[in-house]
Amino acid sequence: MFYLIGLGLGDPTDITVKGLEIVKRCARVYLEMYTSILGCPQEELEAFYGRPLLLADRDLVEQGADEILAGAGEEDVALLVVGDPFGATTHTDFILRAKEKKVPYKVIHNASIMNAIGCCGLQLYKFGETVSIPYWDETWKPDSFYDKIRLNRLNNMHTLCLLDIKVKEPTPESLTRRRKEYQPPRFMTVAEAAQQIMTIVDKKDALERNTILNEMSLCVGLARVGHDSQRIVVNTLRKMTQTDLGAPLHSLVIPAKEIHPLETEFLQQYTTIKLEDYNH
Amino acid sequence: MFYLIGLGLGDPTDITVKGLEIVKRCARVYLEMYTSILGCPQEELEAFYGRPLLLADRDLVEQGADEILAGAGEEDVALLVVGDPFGATTHTDFILRAKEKKVPYKVIHNASIMNAIGCCGLQLYKFGETVSIPYWDETWKPDSFYDKIRLNRLNNMHTLCLLDIKVKEPTPESLTRRRKEYQPPRFMTVAEAAQQIMTIVDKKDALERNTILNEMSLCVGLARVGHDSQRIVVNTLRKMTQTDLGAPLHSLVIPAKEIHPLETEFLQQYTTIKLEDYNH
């Protein structure tokens, strides 16, 4: 059997009891480490499970399905992923590869940022489409995520913004070489995300800035959700560009324009702005 | 400390290791049992935890915060909820009550239908606002959820429909009495939900039926997500009204009109309809 096991928000004890039992009895256990990050080093996880883990990088997960699934028809093999197994398209794809090879599979669900984001007090059911904000560089500044935030705002839905993660990215110079060199890992902060959104907003006309989003619009910055060091800050978009929430992972939420009183009361914990009569 | 602990999808071993450690050491542990249902009887949970649980019904959770939080400043008290603690408004409210009383609290996240729904292969980030479909009776047939499905369809987002649960509902006759009598528990099936949606759709004009939703539109019925007996079926709305997925809980998804090829490939497992050239 092939098991795709969600590790939850990244602390070793966030695995479910069911997941842990499976990890202990598997012949091989792979740990996927590039679509998100763990809150602890691999060694700590291995000590907690009492077994070694095989590291699965992007190449192995996206092109090495044969290697990971080898023998999974006869013995138990697991792939561990941070969050829930269906949080990233690449894992859905992996299940299809297992099906193709007629390998029986089972999914062990867990919390992911997609539902844990409710911890800021904004009601989960009112979130619209989720956007991913990619790192810009000098020549590549995609801004299509703004249109989705816009659509959600127009329809009075909250927007969860997932912030870019660059892990094991080849350096541009080594892209064409056989032996790749890798950039140091980078994790987008809420300040960087807010800055990119501000850059887009600054280009819009006054009408758009009045009706959709402007520098005074509220946003919610979250860091290390589910960990003891979790931080949540509510601020204006402008001030969020200067808000330091510390170590990764960060997420940003652009709330709907109309917020329920219960949501307001909850968000008020995280800001000195008087939310009750704030209207952006 | 007051702990709000998510039990995940309802099997005893779906609790996280962190959650289980807390449950074992708490002075009192309450089990909330009306916003969702467990996949096992309370006794099985108590045997697994090796401790008794106090049952928390709607009255106790919504009006008995004092009782549940009593002493939680000095000793550890936990409230267990199916899914993730932030899945239901009532739990967010409960945290605010704890804050009001200056009781320190911690939330232990877990999977909930809000992220586990990804198991059908539709990408989570493409879901719009979630709707709740309430049971209709002879005089009360609210249909505002349709407008949200409509908006999601127009904006090419999937819609997760949470189906009504009636647990410990007073009978209409006993509503005014001091001693309430309760109706037997009811859990809406995907067939019942599809039927109510069909009733609304049948009243719409031809343009609406052509552009938004009609009896040939595809929908995804899910039952007992995350359990060994999990079932997923893709069908037309019309046929879903006659699809029996067995025991609760059920959920229904109305996909966006445009579906990504990877989503189509995944959904194809659950239907005999040839999805590749299906266009509703």
Side-chain angles (χ1 to χ4, degrees):
Chain A
M1 179 79 83
F2 170 66
Y3 293 96
L4 197 50
I5 302 177
L7 296 184
L9 301 166
D11 185 272
T13 57
D14 284 336
I15 194 170
T16 64
V17 173
K18 190 188 278 176
L20 182 60
E21 285 168 1
I22 295 167
V23 165
K24 284 181 182 289
R25 70 161 189 259
C26 275
R28 298 193 313 282
V29 179
Y30 294 88
L31 173 64
E32 191 265 275
M33 281 280 269
Y34 75 93
T35 54
S36 189
I37 52 162
L38 275 172
C40 69
Q42 181 183 347
E43 296 71 38
E44 202 179 310
L45 218 51
E46 290 177 324
F48 180 70
Y49 298 155
R51 63 163 303 143
L53 300 173
L54 300 157
L55 210 59
D57 62 12
R58 182 190 290 248
D59 291 346
L60 188 60
V61 175
E62 291 183 0
Q63 285 133 45
D66 285 342
E67 183 180 333
I68 294 177
L69 293 171
E74 300 80 47
E75 55 189 7
D76 289 339
V77 175
L79 174 61
L80 310 182
V81 304
V82 180
D84 184 75
F86 289 102
T89 317
T90 185
H91 306 140
T92 314
D93 188 64
F94 205 92
I95 288 174
L96 286 172
R97 300 295 81 76
K99 233 188 128 65
E100 227 170 67
K101 291 174 198 296
K102 303 199 192 317
V103 172
Y105 71 89
K106 217 172 236 180
V107 171
I108 310 298
H109 289 283
N110 210 321
S112 63
I113 190 67
M114 302 294 282
N115 69 338
I117 194 68
C119 67
C120 69
L122 292 169
Q123 292 301 306
L124 267 188
Y125 68 87
K126 276 188 60 187
F127 278 77
E129 188 164 347
T130 302
V131 308
S132 292
I133 302 189
Y135 266 120
W136 285 351
D137 60 28
E138 274 168 37
T139 54
W140 195 68
K141 295 184 168 42
D143 61 4
S144 58
F145 63 86
Y146 177 82
D147 298 331
K148 294 179 184 174
I149 296 175
R150 184 179 196 282
L151 196 60
N152 286 340
R153 290 276 282 184
L154 279 171
N155 293 317
N156 208 37
M157 300 176 191
H158 309 311
T159 309
L160 166 61
C161 307
L162 301 175
L163 309 188
D164 205 358
I165 293 176
K166 296 266 186 208
V167 181
K168 223 179 163 184
E169 289 282 319
T171 59
E173 308 79 53
S174 78
L175 261 181
T176 52
R177 288 186 221 148
R178 275 189 67 188
R179 190 188 184 93
K180 296 209 173 24
E181 283 162 16
Y182 296 98
Q183 303 174 32
R186 283 199 300 167
F187 307 95
M188 188 183 284
T189 65
V190 292
E192 290 170 324
Q195 185 55 60
Q196 289 191 185
I197 296 173
M198 279 294 305
T199 305
I200 299 169
V201 163
D202 283 343
K203 280 190 241 158
K204 303 286 172 187
D205 61 26
L207 177 66
E208 173 91 5
R209 283 199 299 268
N210 276 334
T211 53
I212 309 295
L213 204 62
N214 61 48
E215 60 173 9
M216 296 305 287
S217 301
L218 290 177
C219 55
V220 187
L222 301 98
R224 302 173 301 285
V225 167
H227 294 249
D228 284 340
S229 65
Q230 171 179 305
R231 281 196 64 195
I232 304 178
V233 170
V234 175
N235 229 331
T236 61
L237 196 52
R238 170 65 71 194
K239 284 205 176 145
M240 197 61 85
T241 64
Q242 277 142 38
T243 302
D244 179 7
L245 295 187
L249 289 177
H250 291 192
S251 307
L252 187 73
V253 177
I254 312 288
K257 292 194 89 161
E258 285 168 41
I259 297 182
H260 187 275
L262 183 65
E263 295 178 313
T264 304
E265 191 183 349
F266 211 96
L267 288 179
Q268 189 62 71
Q269 306 173 64
Y270 307 118
T271 184
T272 53
I273 300 169
K274 204 161 164 260
L275 297 182
E276 216 176 324
D277 29 51
Y278 201 89
N279 188 22
H280 279 280
Chain B
M1 180 78 82
F2 170 65
Y3 293 96
L4 197 50
I5 301 176
L7 296 184
L9 301 166
D11 185 272
T13 57
D14 284 336
I15 194 170
T16 64
V17 173
K18 190 187 279 176
L20 182 60
E21 284 168 0
I22 295 166
V23 165
K24 283 181 184 288
R25 70 162 189 260
C26 275
R28 301 193 312 282
V29 179
Y30 294 89
L31 173 64
E32 192 265 275
M33 280 279 270
Y34 76 92
T35 55
S36 189
I37 53 161
L38 276 171
C40 68
Q42 182 183 347
E43 296 70 38
E44 202 179 309
L45 218 51
E46 290 178 324
F48 180 69
Y49 298 155
R51 64 164 302 144
L53 300 174
L54 299 157
L55 211 59
D57 62 12
R58 180 190 290 248
D59 291 347
L60 188 60
V61 175
E62 292 184 359
Q63 285 133 45
D66 284 342
E67 182 180 335
I68 293 177
L69 293 171
E74 299 81 45
E75 54 188 8
D76 290 338
V77 175
L79 174 61
L80 309 182
V81 305
V82 180
D84 184 75
F86 289 103
T89 317
T90 186
H91 306 140
T92 313
D93 189 64
F94 206 92
I95 289 174
L96 287 173
R97 300 295 80 75
K99 231 188 129 65
E100 226 169 65
K101 291 174 198 297
K102 304 201 191 317
V103 172
Y105 71 88
K106 217 171 235 178
V107 171
I108 310 298
H109 289 284
N110 210 321
S112 63
I113 189 68
M114 302 294 281
N115 69 338
I117 194 70
C119 67
C120 70
L122 292 169
Q123 292 300 306
L124 268 188
Y125 67 88
K126 276 189 60 188
F127 278 77
E129 188 165 347
T130 303
V131 308
S132 292
I133 302 189
Y135 268 120
W136 285 350
D137 60 28
E138 274 169 37
T139 56
W140 195 68
K141 296 185 166 42
D143 60 4
S144 59
F145 62 85
Y146 176 82
D147 297 331
K148 295 179 182 173
I149 296 174
R150 184 179 197 282
L151 196 61
N152 286 339
R153 291 275 283 185
L154 279 171
N155 293 316
N156 208 37
M157 301 176 191
H158 310 311
T159 309
L160 166 60
C161 308
L162 302 174
L163 309 187
D164 205 359
I165 293 176
K166 297 267 187 206
V167 180
K168 222 179 162 185
E169 289 282 319
T171 59
E173 307 80 52
S174 78
L175 260 181
T176 52
R177 288 185 221 148
R178 275 189 66 186
R179 191 188 181 95
K180 297 211 174 22
E181 283 162 17
Y182 297 98
Q183 303 175 31
R186 282 199 300 168
F187 306 94
M188 189 184 282
T189 64
V190 292
E192 290 170 323
Q195 184 56 60
Q196 289 192 185
I197 296 173
M198 279 294 305
T199 305
I200 299 169
V201 164
D202 282 343
K203 281 189 241 161
K204 303 285 173 188
D205 60 27
L207 177 66
E208 174 91 5
R209 283 198 298 267
N210 275 335
T211 51
I212 309 295
L213 203 63
N214 61 49
E215 60 173 7
M216 297 305 287
S217 301
L218 288 178
C219 55
V220 186
L222 300 97
R224 301 172 302 284
V225 167
H227 294 249
D228 285 339
S229 65
Q230 171 179 305
R231 281 197 62 194
I232 304 179
V233 170
V234 175
N235 229 331
T236 62
L237 196 52
R238 170 66 71 195
K239 285 207 176 142
M240 196 61 85
T241 65
Q242 278 143 34
T243 302
D244 180 8
L245 295 187
L249 289 179
H250 291 192
S251 307
L252 188 74
V253 176
I254 312 287
K257 292 193 88 161
E258 285 168 41
I259 297 182
H260 186 275
L262 183 65
E263 294 178 313
T264 304
E265 190 183 348
F266 210 97
L267 288 179
Q268 189 63 71
Q269 306 173 61
Y270 308 118
T271 184
T272 52
I273 301 168
K274 203 159 165 258
L275 297 182
E276 216 175 328
D277 29 51
Y278 200 89
N279 188 22
H280 279 280

